[in-house]
Amino acid sequence: MSVNFRQIEKAAVLLELGDRASLQQIKNAYKEKMRYWHPDRCKDEKAKCEEMSKKISDAYRLLVSFCNNYKVPLTEE
């Protein structure tokens, strides 16, 4: 998996995450943002809500994919 850290950073900013986040923190941030921006609940212009919900979903998928494919050392070094 080729990692584009600019995309990772943009996704983290969109979900209002810090420099480090657990998978659970990513999920919680996604749920919180979608509560506001989901087109069925959003009070802003419908097109803007749909666009934001797509961006939030894309950011979430990117970050979860990165976390699921990140390899950590399993030895003491």
Side-chain angles (χ1 to χ4, degrees):
M1 174 184 170
S2 176
V3 178
N4 182 332
F5 283 103
R6 288 193 198 278
Q7 288 180 324
I8 298 287
E9 185 177 290
K10 285 175 68 174
V13 167
L14 181 65
L15 294 179
E16 297 181 10
L17 297 166
D19 291 349
R20 296 175 180 257
S22 68
L23 190 53
Q24 189 61 51
Q25 289 170 317
I26 294 168
K27 289 178 182 181
N28 291 344
Y30 167 75
K31 288 177 184 177
E32 183 179 322
K33 289 287 184 184
M34 287 304 285
R35 265 189 229 111
Y36 180 83
W37 287 106
H38 192 281
D40 292 342
R41 301 185 72 180
C42 186
K43 298 186 185 342
D44 287 350
E45 181 183 319
K46 185 104 172 150
K48 181 178 180 181
C49 296
E50 288 172 354
E51 179 184 342
M52 280 303 294
S53 49
K54 182 181 179 330
K55 285 181 180 181
I56 292 164
S57 293
D58 290 346
Y60 173 74
R61 279 194 288 279
L62 177 69
L63 292 174
V64 167
S65 175
F66 175 73
C67 290
N68 286 335
N69 292 300
Y70 187 78
K71 294 184 181 186
V72 295
L74 300 175
T75 59
E76 184 178 353
E77 289 185 16

